[in-house]
Amino acid sequence: MSDQNIPGRLEDILRRVSEYSFELGKWGKVIWINLEIKKDDRGYYGKGSAVSPLKVYEFKYGSNCNSSSCVRDIYYSRYKSYDNNYMIAFIKYVGGDMDKIKYMVRDIESEAYDLYNEIRNSYLDPSRDHLVSVYFRRDTSSYKKITKEIKKGIIFEKPPALKKIGFKDQPAFIRSALVEKKTNEYNNREESKNELDYPNSFKFSYIVYEK
């Protein structure tokens, strides 16, 4: 797969996961979609998680928020590639149109899995099991702000600091939504330099870990 195709595929996933976030309502402010993929690559086991609405502030700004106290699993899924069989079961009711939400989940997982298969031989060790993690956090209640920021032009690069998006481990592959900004190096100088920063309204990453 050409590296030039990766940004377009990631933007498709970003658009879909942002729609999914708003469809989840208060449960969609901080979400993950994870796919566990074995080295034989016969499909995946999926899981959707979200930060509890009562814990979002604590997750963003506090230090006493971990997976057991803040994050809740909301569904489990399974896809078998050899017979194209897909199953999904929600273990937590999050409101909204559940049939529509299930369709959105399958769509995102399919896109994330297809991208994994395309980058596998170029970036990853095919002899290892992998975990694909799609992460999305929105810092606004306005869907228009997010779509407007995406339309301005998102750069997908490995981020300068993983801790800013809530991850500590070094992944095998990572691309995050960043924006290019020109900033003055010194206040009293006209010289400027290009820097990459996160969008103002959201954070998005596509990450593959080796297991």
Side-chain angles (χ1 to χ4, degrees):
M1 178 186 184
S2 171
D3 286 0
Q4 295 179 347
N5 296 328
I6 293 177
R9 296 295 298 271
L10 287 170
E11 187 169 318
D12 287 342
I13 298 173
L14 168 57
R15 292 181 185 279
R16 295 174 194 274
V17 79
S18 62
E19 293 173 0
Y20 168 65
S21 167
F22 279 91
E23 192 65 30
L24 290 178
K26 61 183 180 180
W27 279 94
K29 293 182 178 180
V30 186
I31 54 177
W32 294 265
I33 291 179
N34 295 329
L35 309 179
E36 290 191 25
I37 305 172
K38 300 296 183 181
K39 58 187 177 183
D40 59 12
D41 193 16
R42 296 184 178 181
Y44 61 80
Y45 288 92
K47 180 175 71 173
S49 306
V51 171
S52 169
L54 297 177
K55 297 287 187 176
V56 170
Y57 182 88
E58 194 173 333
F59 174 83
K60 290 182 179 179
Y61 306 107
S63 58
N64 298 320
C65 186
N66 53 47
S67 59
S68 61
S69 64
C70 291
V71 181
R72 299 286 182 270
D73 294 341
I74 57 179
Y75 77 82
Y76 294 105
S77 65
R78 182 179 181 181
Y79 172 69
K80 298 178 181 178
S81 58
Y82 54 86
D83 62 358
N84 200 32
N85 181 264
Y86 181 81
M87 296 179 293
I88 183 171
F90 274 77
I91 59 174
K92 184 166 188 61
Y93 177 69
V94 292
D97 187 337
M98 293 303 295
D99 288 336
K100 183 177 181 180
I101 290 173
K102 290 178 180 179
Y103 176 82
M104 287 180 163
V105 167
R106 181 168 186 175
D107 209 22
I108 296 167
E109 288 187 349
S110 178
E111 290 284 343
Y113 181 62
D114 287 347
L115 178 55
Y116 164 82
N117 283 323
E118 291 182 7
I119 67 173
R120 185 168 179 247
N121 292 329
S122 298
Y123 292 93
L124 309 173
D125 182 352
S127 68
R128 300 282 297 271
D129 297 339
H130 293 106
L131 173 67
V132 175
S133 183
V134 176
Y135 169 80
F136 183 82
R137 165 184 144 185
R138 54 181 164 92
D139 297 321
T140 177
S141 58
S142 171
Y143 180 66
K144 289 183 178 180
K145 283 185 178 180
I146 292 179
T147 55
K148 184 177 180 180
E149 199 158 10
I150 295 173
K151 287 179 180 178
K152 285 183 178 178
I154 295 296
I155 301 169
F156 289 98
E157 298 288 350
K158 185 173 181 179
L162 292 177
K163 63 182 181 180
K164 290 185 178 180
I165 56 171
F167 292 97
K168 297 179 180 179
D169 299 328
Q170 182 68 30
F173 177 89
I174 178 171
R175 292 294 183 273
S176 286
L178 303 172
V179 293
E180 188 175 26
K181 295 183 177 180
K182 289 186 177 180
T183 59
N184 289 328
E185 188 173 3
Y186 301 105
N187 292 331
N188 60 347
R189 294 178 62 181
E190 294 182 357
E191 294 181 8
S192 64
K193 60 180 180 180
N194 293 334
E195 291 185 350
L196 294 177
D197 200 359
Y198 292 98
N200 293 322
S201 301
F202 68 91
K203 290 182 175 63
F204 166 84
S205 291
Y206 178 96
I207 305 175
V208 183
Y209 294 99
E210 290 183 347
K211 299 188 68 179

